[in-house]
């Protein structure tokens, strides 16, 4: 029974996933193409891989800690009218945490196999790309369900002006994302270095690009709904806590957008300097960590209010 409780503990899950990540980084075979493009040895490759993945431990901790905080508060208000909404927010944050961990672990594993067996490279890439789409899609849908349940309970809706501004910003984001993504896809070959998906464009658009755009929109709209609730509910500390949740969700969405840009929109490996690639990756990591920290702080303050 104690073992089952530990497995259900978000922090215990975090520790187990970090240990697994360290083992994979050390044991996986080096990518020969990356070594050639960046002119580095196998030892240097594993050092770079470690430096790239080390910050993941901070992101994972922030994500699982945020999930633990939200779950704690959701359980405290489970029997209240707002319980359903906060439970959905907690479950969604759990999916976000798993969405950071599982695709990374599986992606590293299948990529390691592909380094030894190049014919498996396309399958490994397709699997990783779809995992990176699936988890945020489920997570932000669940979070959006929670934010909408809170607006229904409070009978509060985002203003028309804020919705219009969101739509304009999202259209600009969608057009830019579609343009740069399609610009870097080789429409004539699925195994080209300029096709990061190993899929034809008619498959990429409905199964990867559209789900990403929907995920980002629903995540940003969920943050907008939380912000609307925060502006109208009674209690200064309650409003501040919900604002922290709203800003946190927005930053996590922004970090997700940045990660997808690095993963799919940037020029092929070797075109940018290694320092530029690492710097860009770290910036998106910092944005995501900040988002989860704010979500944790918001949930912590809500729990303190409930305890009082």
């Amino acid at each position: 029974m104690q073992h089952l409780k530990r497995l259900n503990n978000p922090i215990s899950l975090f520790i187990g996933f970090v240990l697994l990540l360290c083992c994979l980084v050390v044991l996986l075979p080096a990518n020969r193409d990356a070594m050639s493009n960046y002119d580095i040895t196998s030892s240097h490759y594993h050092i770079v891989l470690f430096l790239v993945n080390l910050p993941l431990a901070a992101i994972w901790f922030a994500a699982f800690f945020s999930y633990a905080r939200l779950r704690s508060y959701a359980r405290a208000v489970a029997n209240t009218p707002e319980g359903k909404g906060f439970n959905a927010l907690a479950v969604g944050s759990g999916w976000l945490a798993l969405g950071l961990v599982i695709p990374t672990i599986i992606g590293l594993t299948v990529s390691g196999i592909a380094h030894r067996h190049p014919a498996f490279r396309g399958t490994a890439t397709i699997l990783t790309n779809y995992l990176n789409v699936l988890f945020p899609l489920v997570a932000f849908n669940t979070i959006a369900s929670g934010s909408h349940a809170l607006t229904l309970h409070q009978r509060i809706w985002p203003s028309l002006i804020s919705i219009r501004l969101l739509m304009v910003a999202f259209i600009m984001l969608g057009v830019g994302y579609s343009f740069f993504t399609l610009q870097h896809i080789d429409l004539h070959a699925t195994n080209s270095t300029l096709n990061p998906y190993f899929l034809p464009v008619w498959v990429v658009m409905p199964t990867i690009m559209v789900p990403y755009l929907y995920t980002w929109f629903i995540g940003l709209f969920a943050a907008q709904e939380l912000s609307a609730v925060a502006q109208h509910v009674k209690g200064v500390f309650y409003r501040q806590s919900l604002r922290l949740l709203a800003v946190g969700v927005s930053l996590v969405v922004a970090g997700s957008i940045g990660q997808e840009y690095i993963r799919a929109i940037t020029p092929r490996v070797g075109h940018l300097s290694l320092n530029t690639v690492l710097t860009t990756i770290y910036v998106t990591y910092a944005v995501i960590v900040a988002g989860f920290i704010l979500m944790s702080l918001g949930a912590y303050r809500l729990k303190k209010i409930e305890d009082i």
Side-chain angles (χ1 to χ4, degrees):
M1 194 69 179
Q2 290 294 330
H3 294 294
L4 291 176
K5 289 183 178 179
R6 290 175 182 174
L7 288 174
N8 195 35
N9 186 326
I11 304 305
S12 297
L13 287 174
F14 157 75
I15 294 173
F17 283 128
V18 168
L19 292 176
L20 180 57
L21 175 68
C22 292
C23 292
L24 291 175
V25 168
V26 172
L27 299 176
L28 287 175
N31 185 336
R32 295 179 182 178
D33 291 338
M35 290 165 53
S36 174
N37 286 324
Y38 292 119
D39 192 24
I40 57 178
T41 64
S42 177
S43 299
H44 289 158
Y45 172 83
H46 282 96
I47 292 173
V48 170
L49 189 64
F50 180 77
L51 291 175
V52 170
N53 287 283
L54 180 62
L56 289 178
I59 299 176
W60 293 0
F61 177 77
F64 278 98
F65 189 74
S66 173
Y67 168 49
R69 289 289 193 191
L70 279 168
R71 189 177 69 165
S72 176
Y73 178 70
R75 289 179 174 178
V77 297
N79 296 323
T80 68
E82 296 179 330
K84 180 180 178 181
F86 281 106
N87 181 67
L89 291 177
V91 173
S93 69
W95 276 102
L96 281 177
L98 292 176
L100 292 171
V101 172
I102 294 179
T104 300
I105 296 296
I106 295 179
L108 282 173
T109 303
V110 296
S111 295
I113 297 173
H115 296 160
R116 288 286 180 85
H117 305 281
F120 186 66
R121 182 184 174 193
T123 302
T125 303
I126 292 171
L127 175 62
T128 303
N129 283 331
Y130 279 118
L131 286 175
N132 283 320
V133 172
L134 176 62
F135 279 90
L137 182 63
V138 175
F140 285 116
N141 258 312
T142 308
I143 289 174
S145 297
S147 66
H148 191 61
L150 293 177
T151 61
L152 288 176
H153 170 66
Q154 297 289 345
R155 298 181 182 276
I156 296 169
W157 319 104
S159 67
L160 184 60
I161 293 177
S162 65
I163 292 176
R164 287 174 175 173
L165 290 175
L166 175 64
M167 289 301 298
V168 170
F170 181 76
I171 289 171
M172 294 175 63
L173 170 68
V175 171
Y177 168 72
S178 301
F179 172 77
F180 287 112
T181 300
L182 294 176
Q183 188 180 46
H184 287 93
I185 290 182
D186 187 343
L187 303 180
H188 304 290
T190 58
N191 59 351
S192 168
T193 57
L194 291 179
N195 188 334
Y197 301 103
F198 283 82
L199 292 169
V201 68
W202 62 269
V203 175
V204 171
M205 291 185 67
T207 64
I208 292 182
M209 293 175 62
V210 170
Y212 265 129
L213 290 171
Y214 171 79
T215 298
W216 298 337
F217 175 79
I218 203 71
L220 292 173
F221 190 73
Q224 191 177 58
E225 286 189 316
L226 289 173
S227 180
V229 174
Q231 290 177 3
H232 297 90
V233 295
K234 297 179 180 179
V236 175
F237 294 108
Y238 193 62
R239 288 199 298 268
Q240 290 177 346
S241 301
L242 287 175
R243 286 196 187 103
L244 289 173
L245 282 177
V247 176
V249 171
S250 298
L251 289 178
V252 173
V253 175
S256 174
I257 295 171
Q259 282 194 325
E260 176 57 18
Y261 179 87
I262 295 171
R263 183 181 298 117
I265 305 177
T266 51
R268 59 187 178 277
V269 174
H271 186 80
L272 296 178
S273 69
L274 185 58
N275 289 336
T276 301
V277 174
L278 289 176
T279 300
T280 309
I281 290 173
Y282 288 153
V283 169
T284 62
Y285 284 171
V287 171
I288 293 174
V289 168
F292 281 120
I293 289 175
L294 292 180
M295 290 174 65
S296 301
L297 186 57
Y300 173 75
R301 290 188 175 185
L302 287 171
K303 185 64 165 59
K304 293 293 287 185
I305 296 173
E306 185 66 23
D307 291 340
I308 296 173

